[in-house]
Amino acid sequence: MKIALIGAGNVGWHLAKTLDATQHQVTAVYSRTAATREALAQQLNHALPIDNLNLTLYNIDVVLLAVSDAALAEVTQELAVRAGTIVCHTSGSQPLTVLQPIQGARTGVFYPLQTFTKSKPVNLTHTPFLLEAADEETLGELQQLAAALSDTVLPISSSARKQLHLAAVFACNFTNHLLGISRELLEMANLPPDLLQPLIQETVDKALQRHPFLVQTGPAIRRDQNVLQAHLGMLQQYPQHQELYRQLTQSIQAQLSAESKSKTP
Amino acid sequence: MKIALIGAGNVGWHLAKTLDATQHQVTAVYSRTAATREALAQQLNHALPIDNLNLTLYNIDVVLLAVSDAALAEVTQELAVRAGTIVCHTSGSQPLTVLQPIQGARTGVFYPLQTFTKSKPVNLTHTPFLLEAADEETLGELQQLAAALSDTVLPISSSARKQLHLAAVFACNFTNHLLGISRELLEMANLPPDLLQPLIQETVDKALQRHPFLVQTGPAIRRDQNVLQAHLGMLQQYPQHQELYRQLTQSIQAQLSAESKSKTP
């Protein structure tokens, strides 16, 4: 298939590069910023950097919109495609219906459940691609496209995708922030940042094998008041971290109470 | 060396089993609960389950106290050892001096920076062992013991160890709790829990390669109000999760502001 990539941010960048390495072809890349679209086009085999959203000039099978949720409404207004072209967005939180304004398009969602940063290569082989389409034929074509990238391709409704995206914010964005705080705490104590690596890896290995609530460890779940108070004291200079510590401790303890209650007959 | 393990909880259990597989010998295991000490002794090659803390009867080189911080004071009161025996605690947050009441002992700290759950085997080969001792000779002997378990053995002060433990609570205990919430959210949406696995693995890989604050993604750092409000709405029924979502979002945004300020000349 011939693909146009609209948006050259973290998601668009990696989708374009990964698609370009398959039997499919990225033939056009659009970004508002000339330097960005040219930088991405240079990374690809046959892609033209384009500076407007009238795609009726080109022979394109699938248009992938990899723009921020905020920009999506504007892009769907401006975009023009030949009748029958598939147009997908790649957002976890936007419904399929947001694409309705695009005249003549067959609409779909092409959502890779992954975290993307331009500077870090990512292997999408096991990344789930969650698909949705307005009709069965379009869904079939999207499945074919996604299967070229990943071994995990699933149809999913707009509402389930929203739930999944919320879960991903906890598992990825919030987890990353906590890892950042822990690294900052190490740096402030002049300790090497890789000291926590085996612990972090084991934490995640365990959480992927068992339900995390069943393998929770640490002072919060032990209700070890001495340690909890000492830690809050050490965070006195960092009120934001201190408040997070308090909230997360409460949340762990509330979870524990809820579980023991549910075990009581 | 001949080792006595005091405490058969998550930490004692794994330390005893791992030490028993080296050239060293776990000769005695103590736990207040008969069934627990007997269960652990049965897992070991030559260990006697013992029911009191008078160890002067036995030929022991090193006593490892793997009990909760709360129980540590009581155990140090009751424990009796032959003069010159090394006695270590295994706590991240207790100072070395907590062992001073033990008559005739050479004292130290033997802290494995890892998360332990009895039911899950753990490979300690790369787990950092953080050591402290009242004298150089004792430190040398502890280094020898730790080197039989791990390739990462470091001396560290009581105060640095406390900082490290605090960082570990963020990186491990709090991260595990967030992974638990994300799994719960998947279950409530009837989605398979392993769907998030590639995302979680990539999040951690990335955070171990780059400073997590520099690779933060998601609606909080994009200040995507529509998505943030939608997510808070979806958590309406779960006020504790909703409050955590709010706090973590604020913390990510505060971090971003702090960074841009530090870049302004």
Side-chain angles (χ1 to χ4, degrees), chain B residues 159-189:
Chain B
S159 70
R161 180 162 34 81
K162 256 176 90 167
Q163 296 279 349
L164 186 57
H165 184 236
L166 174 60
V169 167
F170 276 90
C172 166
N173 305 150
F174 290 166
T175 291
N176 181 71
H177 183 62
L178 293 184
L179 295 177
I181 292 176
S182 78
R183 177 151 172 165
E184 196 180 57
L185 292 169
L186 284 192
E187 285 165 355
M188 290 185 308

PDB file of all heavy atoms in Angstrom, chain B residues 159-189:
ATOM      1  N   SER B 159      23.728   6.858  56.034  1.00  0.00           N
ATOM      2  CA  SER B 159      22.880   7.933  55.513  1.00  0.00           C
ATOM      3  C   SER B 159      22.656   7.769  54.006  1.00  0.00           C
ATOM      4  O   SER B 159      21.547   8.001  53.514  1.00  0.00           O
ATOM      5  CB  SER B 159      23.465   9.303  55.858  1.00  0.00           C
ATOM      6  OG  SER B 159      24.633   9.521  55.120  1.00  0.00           O
ATOM      7  N   ALA B 160      23.677   7.344  53.257  1.00  0.00           N
ATOM      8  CA  ALA B 160      23.492   7.118  51.823  1.00  0.00           C
ATOM      9  C   ALA B 160      22.535   5.943  51.595  1.00  0.00           C
ATOM     10  O   ALA B 160      21.709   5.966  50.682  1.00  0.00           O
ATOM     11  CB  ALA B 160      24.825   6.852  51.142  1.00  0.00           C
ATOM     12  N   ARG B 161      22.635   4.927  52.456  1.00  0.00           N
ATOM     13  CA  ARG B 161      21.742   3.781  52.319  1.00  0.00           C
ATOM     14  C   ARG B 161      20.284   4.192  52.519  1.00  0.00           C
ATOM     15  O   ARG B 161      19.381   3.738  51.820  1.00  0.00           O
ATOM     16  CB  ARG B 161      22.141   2.675  53.300  1.00  0.00           C
ATOM     17  CG  ARG B 161      21.274   1.425  53.258  1.00  0.00           C
ATOM     18  CD  ARG B 161      21.931   0.210  53.910  1.00  0.00           C
ATOM     19  NE  ARG B 161      22.765   0.588  55.035  1.00  0.00           N
ATOM     20  CZ  ARG B 161      22.319   0.847  56.259  1.00  0.00           C
ATOM     21  NH1 ARG B 161      21.039   0.723  56.530  1.00  0.00           N
ATOM     22  NH2 ARG B 161      23.156   1.204  57.212  1.00  0.00           N
ATOM     23  N   LYS B 162      20.049   5.108  53.455  1.00  0.00           N
ATOM     24  CA  LYS B 162      18.685   5.610  53.680  1.00  0.00           C
ATOM     25  C   LYS B 162      18.139   6.322  52.448  1.00  0.00           C
ATOM     26  O   LYS B 162      16.974   6.169  52.075  1.00  0.00           O
ATOM     27  CB  LYS B 162      18.694   6.601  54.856  1.00  0.00           C
ATOM     28  CG  LYS B 162      18.145   6.028  56.144  1.00  0.00           C
ATOM     29  CD  LYS B 162      18.283   7.020  57.287  1.00  0.00           C
ATOM     30  CE  LYS B 162      17.068   7.936  57.423  1.00  0.00           C
ATOM     31  NZ  LYS B 162      17.110   8.663  58.730  1.00  0.00           N
ATOM     32  N   GLN B 163      19.002   7.123  51.809  1.00  0.00           N
ATOM     33  CA  GLN B 163      18.605   7.830  50.583  1.00  0.00           C
ATOM     34  C   GLN B 163      18.280   6.831  49.470  1.00  0.00           C
ATOM     35  O   GLN B 163      17.317   6.984  48.722  1.00  0.00           O
ATOM     36  CB  GLN B 163      19.753   8.727  50.082  1.00  0.00           C
ATOM     37  CG  GLN B 163      20.150   9.852  51.018  1.00  0.00           C
ATOM     38  CD  GLN B 163      19.216  11.052  50.899  1.00  0.00           C
ATOM     39  OE1 GLN B 163      18.405  11.102  49.972  1.00  0.00           O
ATOM     40  NE2 GLN B 163      19.321  11.974  51.831  1.00  0.00           N
ATOM     41  N   LEU B 164      19.119   5.819  49.390  1.00  0.00           N
ATOM     42  CA  LEU B 164      18.938   4.785  48.373  1.00  0.00           C
ATOM     43  C   LEU B 164      17.618   4.046  48.595  1.00  0.00           C
ATOM     44  O   LEU B 164      16.874   3.759  47.652  1.00  0.00           O
ATOM     45  CB  LEU B 164      20.115   3.820  48.478  1.00  0.00           C
ATOM     46  CG  LEU B 164      20.247   2.719  47.441  1.00  0.00           C
ATOM     47  CD1 LEU B 164      20.313   3.305  46.051  1.00  0.00           C
ATOM     48  CD2 LEU B 164      21.504   1.890  47.711  1.00  0.00           C
ATOM     49  N   HIS B 165      17.328   3.771  49.854  1.00  0.00           N
ATOM     50  CA  HIS B 165      16.089   3.067  50.183  1.00  0.00           C
ATOM     51  C   HIS B 165      14.863   3.900  49.794  1.00  0.00           C
ATOM     52  O   HIS B 165      13.884   3.388  49.243  1.00  0.00           O
ATOM     53  CB  HIS B 165      16.061   2.726  51.678  1.00  0.00           C
ATOM     54  CG  HIS B 165      14.873   1.931  52.096  1.00  0.00           C
ATOM     55  ND1 HIS B 165      14.001   2.335  53.085  1.00  0.00           N
ATOM     56  CD2 HIS B 165      14.386   0.753  51.644  1.00  0.00           C
ATOM     57  CE1 HIS B 165      13.042   1.429  53.220  1.00  0.00           C
ATOM     58  NE2 HIS B 165      13.255   0.458  52.367  1.00  0.00           N
ATOM     59  N   LEU B 166      14.951   5.210  50.045  1.00  0.00           N
ATOM     60  CA  LEU B 166      13.846   6.103  49.661  1.00  0.00           C
ATOM     61  C   LEU B 166      13.662   6.082  48.138  1.00  0.00           C
ATOM     62  O   LEU B 166      12.534   5.983  47.631  1.00  0.00           O
ATOM     63  CB  LEU B 166      14.144   7.524  50.157  1.00  0.00           C
ATOM     64  CG  LEU B 166      13.164   8.617  49.732  1.00  0.00           C
ATOM     65  CD1 LEU B 166      11.750   8.336  50.236  1.00  0.00           C
ATOM     66  CD2 LEU B 166      13.639   9.989  50.237  1.00  0.00           C
ATOM     67  N   ALA B 167      14.772   6.161  47.404  1.00  0.00           N
ATOM     68  CA  ALA B 167      14.689   6.105  45.936  1.00  0.00           C
ATOM     69  C   ALA B 167      14.083   4.773  45.483  1.00  0.00           C
ATOM     70  O   ALA B 167      13.301   4.725  44.525  1.00  0.00           O
ATOM     71  CB  ALA B 167      16.076   6.294  45.328  1.00  0.00           C
ATOM     72  N   ALA B 168      14.427   3.695  46.198  1.00  0.00           N
ATOM     73  CA  ALA B 168      13.916   2.372  45.846  1.00  0.00           C
ATOM     74  C   ALA B 168      12.409   2.266  46.080  1.00  0.00           C
ATOM     75  O   ALA B 168      11.716   1.563  45.347  1.00  0.00           O
ATOM     76  CB  ALA B 168      14.651   1.297  46.647  1.00  0.00           C
ATOM     77  N   VAL B 169      11.903   2.975  47.074  1.00  0.00           N
ATOM     78  CA  VAL B 169      10.456   2.972  47.321  1.00  0.00           C
ATOM     79  C   VAL B 169       9.725   3.574  46.120  1.00  0.00           C
ATOM     80  O   VAL B 169       8.714   3.033  45.657  1.00  0.00           O
ATOM     81  CB  VAL B 169      10.116   3.721  48.635  1.00  0.00           C
ATOM     82  CG1 VAL B 169       8.625   4.002  48.732  1.00  0.00           C
ATOM     83  CG2 VAL B 169      10.577   2.907  49.849  1.00  0.00           C
ATOM     84  N   PHE B 170      10.256   4.667  45.575  1.00  0.00           N
ATOM     85  CA  PHE B 170       9.641   5.259  44.376  1.00  0.00           C
ATOM     86  C   PHE B 170       9.774   4.316  43.167  1.00  0.00           C
ATOM     87  O   PHE B 170       8.814   4.081  42.447  1.00  0.00           O
ATOM     88  CB  PHE B 170      10.294   6.612  44.038  1.00  0.00           C
ATOM     89  CG  PHE B 170       9.726   7.771  44.813  1.00  0.00           C
ATOM     90  CD1 PHE B 170      10.266   8.144  46.031  1.00  0.00           C
ATOM     91  CD2 PHE B 170       8.629   8.478  44.336  1.00  0.00           C
ATOM     92  CE1 PHE B 170       9.735   9.216  46.766  1.00  0.00           C
ATOM     93  CE2 PHE B 170       8.083   9.544  45.051  1.00  0.00           C
ATOM     94  CZ  PHE B 170       8.644   9.911  46.273  1.00  0.00           C
ATOM     95  N   ALA B 171      10.967   3.773  42.971  1.00  0.00           N
ATOM     96  CA  ALA B 171      11.234   2.990  41.757  1.00  0.00           C
ATOM     97  C   ALA B 171      10.566   1.626  41.785  1.00  0.00           C
ATOM     98  O   ALA B 171      10.232   1.077  40.737  1.00  0.00           O
ATOM     99  CB  ALA B 171      12.738   2.812  41.575  1.00  0.00           C
ATOM    100  N   CYS B 172      10.358   1.092  42.969  1.00  0.00           N
ATOM    101  CA  CYS B 172       9.846  -0.276  43.060  1.00  0.00           C
ATOM    102  C   CYS B 172       8.443  -0.333  43.668  1.00  0.00           C
ATOM    103  O   CYS B 172       7.489  -0.686  42.997  1.00  0.00           O
ATOM    104  CB  CYS B 172      10.829  -1.121  43.867  1.00  0.00           C
ATOM    105  SG  CYS B 172      10.179  -2.713  44.407  1.00  0.00           S
ATOM    106  N   ASN B 173       8.295   0.063  44.924  1.00  0.00           N
ATOM    107  CA  ASN B 173       7.005  -0.098  45.607  1.00  0.00           C
ATOM    108  C   ASN B 173       5.909   0.740  44.930  1.00  0.00           C
ATOM    109  O   ASN B 173       4.803   0.248  44.685  1.00  0.00           O
ATOM    110  CB  ASN B 173       7.102   0.304  47.073  1.00  0.00           C
ATOM    111  CG  ASN B 173       8.187  -0.430  47.845  1.00  0.00           C
ATOM    112  OD1 ASN B 173       8.755   0.103  48.780  1.00  0.00           O
ATOM    113  ND2 ASN B 173       8.505  -1.657  47.450  1.00  0.00           N
ATOM    114  N   PHE B 174       6.227   2.009  44.645  1.00  0.00           N
ATOM    115  CA  PHE B 174       5.212   2.888  44.062  1.00  0.00           C
ATOM    116  C   PHE B 174       4.936   2.507  42.599  1.00  0.00           C
ATOM    117  O   PHE B 174       3.790   2.518  42.142  1.00  0.00           O
ATOM    118  CB  PHE B 174       5.645   4.353  44.169  1.00  0.00           C
ATOM    119  CG  PHE B 174       5.632   4.898  45.577  1.00  0.00           C
ATOM    120  CD1 PHE B 174       6.254   6.100  45.886  1.00  0.00           C
ATOM    121  CD2 PHE B 174       4.991   4.223  46.612  1.00  0.00           C
ATOM    122  CE1 PHE B 174       6.244   6.617  47.183  1.00  0.00           C
ATOM    123  CE2 PHE B 174       4.969   4.728  47.918  1.00  0.00           C
ATOM    124  CZ  PHE B 174       5.606   5.932  48.201  1.00  0.00           C
ATOM    125  N   THR B 175       5.999   2.177  41.881  1.00  0.00           N
ATOM    126  CA  THR B 175       5.831   1.739  40.497  1.00  0.00           C
ATOM    127  C   THR B 175       4.956   0.490  40.429  1.00  0.00           C
ATOM    128  O   THR B 175       4.040   0.399  39.606  1.00  0.00           O
ATOM    129  CB  THR B 175       7.226   1.456  39.894  1.00  0.00           C
ATOM    130  OG1 THR B 175       7.904   2.709  39.754  1.00  0.00           O
ATOM    131  CG2 THR B 175       7.140   0.782  38.544  1.00  0.00           C
ATOM    132  N   ASN B 176       5.204  -0.457  41.318  1.00  0.00           N
ATOM    133  CA  ASN B 176       4.397  -1.676  41.349  1.00  0.00           C
ATOM    134  C   ASN B 176       2.919  -1.358  41.599  1.00  0.00           C
ATOM    135  O   ASN B 176       2.032  -1.943  40.980  1.00  0.00           O
ATOM    136  CB  ASN B 176       4.907  -2.620  42.440  1.00  0.00           C
ATOM    137  CG  ASN B 176       4.124  -3.913  42.490  1.00  0.00           C
ATOM    138  OD1 ASN B 176       4.221  -4.755  41.603  1.00  0.00           O
ATOM    139  ND2 ASN B 176       3.287  -4.068  43.522  1.00  0.00           N
ATOM    140  N   HIS B 177       2.670  -0.392  42.481  1.00  0.00           N
ATOM    141  CA  HIS B 177       1.279  -0.022  42.764  1.00  0.00           C
ATOM    142  C   HIS B 177       0.598   0.561  41.522  1.00  0.00           C
ATOM    143  O   HIS B 177      -0.548   0.221  41.217  1.00  0.00           O
ATOM    144  CB  HIS B 177       1.251   0.976  43.924  1.00  0.00           C
ATOM    145  CG  HIS B 177      -0.130   1.365  44.344  1.00  0.00           C
ATOM    146  ND1 HIS B 177      -1.055   0.458  44.836  1.00  0.00           N
ATOM    147  CD2 HIS B 177      -0.772   2.570  44.327  1.00  0.00           C
ATOM    148  CE1 HIS B 177      -2.189   1.094  45.111  1.00  0.00           C
ATOM    149  NE2 HIS B 177      -2.046   2.361  44.802  1.00  0.00           N
ATOM    150  N   LEU B 178       1.313   1.402  40.789  1.00  0.00           N
ATOM    151  CA  LEU B 178       0.742   1.966  39.549  1.00  0.00           C
ATOM    152  C   LEU B 178       0.480   0.865  38.524  1.00  0.00           C
ATOM    153  O   LEU B 178      -0.539   0.892  37.817  1.00  0.00           O
ATOM    154  CB  LEU B 178       1.679   3.013  38.952  1.00  0.00           C
ATOM    155  CG  LEU B 178       1.872   4.299  39.755  1.00  0.00           C
ATOM    156  CD1 LEU B 178       2.749   5.271  38.981  1.00  0.00           C
ATOM    157  CD2 LEU B 178       0.530   4.957  40.087  1.00  0.00           C
ATOM    158  N   LEU B 179       1.385  -0.098  38.443  1.00  0.00           N
ATOM    159  CA  LEU B 179       1.164  -1.211  37.515  1.00  0.00           C
ATOM    160  C   LEU B 179      -0.068  -2.009  37.954  1.00  0.00           C
ATOM    161  O   LEU B 179      -0.821  -2.513  37.115  1.00  0.00           O
ATOM    162  CB  LEU B 179       2.405  -2.112  37.448  1.00  0.00           C
ATOM    163  CG  LEU B 179       3.658  -1.436  36.864  1.00  0.00           C
ATOM    164  CD1 LEU B 179       4.861  -2.379  36.905  1.00  0.00           C
ATOM    165  CD2 LEU B 179       3.415  -0.963  35.425  1.00  0.00           C
ATOM    166  N   GLY B 180      -0.292  -2.087  39.259  1.00  0.00           N
ATOM    167  CA  GLY B 180      -1.494  -2.754  39.776  1.00  0.00           C
ATOM    168  C   GLY B 180      -2.767  -2.016  39.377  1.00  0.00           C
ATOM    169  O   GLY B 180      -3.751  -2.623  38.960  1.00  0.00           O
ATOM    170  N   ILE B 181      -2.735  -0.693  39.505  1.00  0.00           N
ATOM    171  CA  ILE B 181      -3.911   0.100  39.110  1.00  0.00           C
ATOM    172  C   ILE B 181      -4.169  -0.070  37.613  1.00  0.00           C
ATOM    173  O   ILE B 181      -5.309  -0.258  37.183  1.00  0.00           O
ATOM    174  CB  ILE B 181      -3.704   1.596  39.456  1.00  0.00           C
ATOM    175  CG1 ILE B 181      -3.679   1.771  40.982  1.00  0.00           C
ATOM    176  CG2 ILE B 181      -4.802   2.458  38.830  1.00  0.00           C
ATOM    177  CD1 ILE B 181      -3.381   3.194  41.436  1.00  0.00           C
ATOM    178  N   SER B 182      -3.116  -0.025  36.807  1.00  0.00           N
ATOM    179  CA  SER B 182      -3.324  -0.129  35.360  1.00  0.00           C
ATOM    180  C   SER B 182      -3.919  -1.501  35.022  1.00  0.00           C
ATOM    181  O   SER B 182      -4.797  -1.618  34.163  1.00  0.00           O
ATOM    182  CB  SER B 182      -2.027   0.128  34.592  1.00  0.00           C
ATOM    183  OG  SER B 182      -1.188  -0.992  34.627  1.00  0.00           O
ATOM    184  N   ARG B 183      -3.453  -2.517  35.734  1.00  0.00           N
ATOM    185  CA  ARG B 183      -3.998  -3.849  35.487  1.00  0.00           C
ATOM    186  C   ARG B 183      -5.474  -3.929  35.888  1.00  0.00           C
ATOM    187  O   ARG B 183      -6.289  -4.534  35.184  1.00  0.00           O
ATOM    188  CB  ARG B 183      -3.180  -4.877  36.267  1.00  0.00           C
ATOM    189  CG  ARG B 183      -3.739  -6.246  36.108  1.00  0.00           C
ATOM    190  CD  ARG B 183      -2.712  -7.296  36.220  1.00  0.00           C
ATOM    191  NE  ARG B 183      -3.372  -8.586  36.240  1.00  0.00           N
ATOM    192  CZ  ARG B 183      -2.777  -9.730  36.048  1.00  0.00           C
ATOM    193  NH1 ARG B 183      -1.498  -9.757  35.819  1.00  0.00           N
ATOM    194  NH2 ARG B 183      -3.443 -10.851  36.069  1.00  0.00           N
ATOM    195  N   GLU B 184      -5.803  -3.297  36.997  1.00  0.00           N
ATOM    196  CA  GLU B 184      -7.198  -3.255  37.459  1.00  0.00           C
ATOM    197  C   GLU B 184      -8.080  -2.546  36.421  1.00  0.00           C
ATOM    198  O   GLU B 184      -9.197  -2.991  36.127  1.00  0.00           O
ATOM    199  CB  GLU B 184      -7.221  -2.503  38.785  1.00  0.00           C
ATOM    200  CG  GLU B 184      -8.475  -2.665  39.598  1.00  0.00           C
ATOM    201  CD  GLU B 184      -8.362  -1.867  40.892  1.00  0.00           C
ATOM    202  OE1 GLU B 184      -8.142  -0.628  40.839  1.00  0.00           O
ATOM    203  OE2 GLU B 184      -8.486  -2.483  41.959  1.00  0.00           O
ATOM    204  N   LEU B 185      -7.567  -1.460  35.865  1.00  0.00           N
ATOM    205  CA  LEU B 185      -8.328  -0.721  34.849  1.00  0.00           C
ATOM    206  C   LEU B 185      -8.563  -1.589  33.612  1.00  0.00           C
ATOM    207  O   LEU B 185      -9.652  -1.567  33.022  1.00  0.00           O
ATOM    208  CB  LEU B 185      -7.609   0.576  34.460  1.00  0.00           C
ATOM    209  CG  LEU B 185      -7.556   1.655  35.556  1.00  0.00           C
ATOM    210  CD1 LEU B 185      -6.600   2.782  35.167  1.00  0.00           C
ATOM    211  CD2 LEU B 185      -8.956   2.228  35.827  1.00  0.00           C
ATOM    212  N   LEU B 186      -7.565  -2.370  33.219  1.00  0.00           N
ATOM    213  CA  LEU B 186      -7.740  -3.292  32.089  1.00  0.00           C
ATOM    214  C   LEU B 186      -8.822  -4.331  32.412  1.00  0.00           C
ATOM    215  O   LEU B 186      -9.683  -4.624  31.580  1.00  0.00           O
ATOM    216  CB  LEU B 186      -6.442  -4.041  31.790  1.00  0.00           C
ATOM    217  CG  LEU B 186      -5.339  -3.305  31.071  1.00  0.00           C
ATOM    218  CD1 LEU B 186      -4.271  -4.288  30.619  1.00  0.00           C
ATOM    219  CD2 LEU B 186      -5.885  -2.555  29.853  1.00  0.00           C
ATOM    220  N   GLU B 187      -8.732  -4.878  33.618  1.00  0.00           N
ATOM    221  CA  GLU B 187      -9.693  -5.924  33.992  1.00  0.00           C
ATOM    222  C   GLU B 187     -11.118  -5.382  33.977  1.00  0.00           C
ATOM    223  O   GLU B 187     -12.045  -6.062  33.532  1.00  0.00           O
ATOM    224  CB  GLU B 187      -9.358  -6.479  35.381  1.00  0.00           C
ATOM    225  CG  GLU B 187      -8.145  -7.412  35.352  1.00  0.00           C
ATOM    226  CD  GLU B 187      -7.560  -7.691  36.740  1.00  0.00           C
ATOM    227  OE1 GLU B 187      -8.037  -7.087  37.726  1.00  0.00           O
ATOM    228  OE2 GLU B 187      -6.625  -8.517  36.813  1.00  0.00           O
ATOM    229  N   MET B 188     -11.288  -4.133  34.469  1.00  0.00           N
ATOM    230  CA  MET B 188     -12.623  -3.560  34.509  1.00  0.00           C
ATOM    231  C   MET B 188     -13.174  -3.339  33.105  1.00  0.00           C
ATOM    232  O   MET B 188     -14.378  -3.322  32.903  1.00  0.00           O
ATOM    233  CB  MET B 188     -12.618  -2.271  35.313  1.00  0.00           C
ATOM    234  CG  MET B 188     -12.402  -2.588  36.803  1.00  0.00           C
ATOM    235  SD  MET B 188     -12.520  -1.150  37.894  1.00  0.00           S
ATOM    236  CE  MET B 188     -11.395  -0.022  37.132  1.00  0.00           C
ATOM    237  N   ALA B 189     -12.278  -3.155  32.128  1.00  0.00           N
ATOM    238  CA  ALA B 189     -12.711  -2.974  30.741  1.00  0.00           C
ATOM    239  C   ALA B 189     -12.726  -4.304  29.981  1.00  0.00           C
ATOM    240  O   ALA B 189     -12.882  -4.313  28.755  1.00  0.00           O
ATOM    241  CB  ALA B 189     -11.799  -1.964  30.042  1.00  0.00           C
TER     242      ALA B 189
END
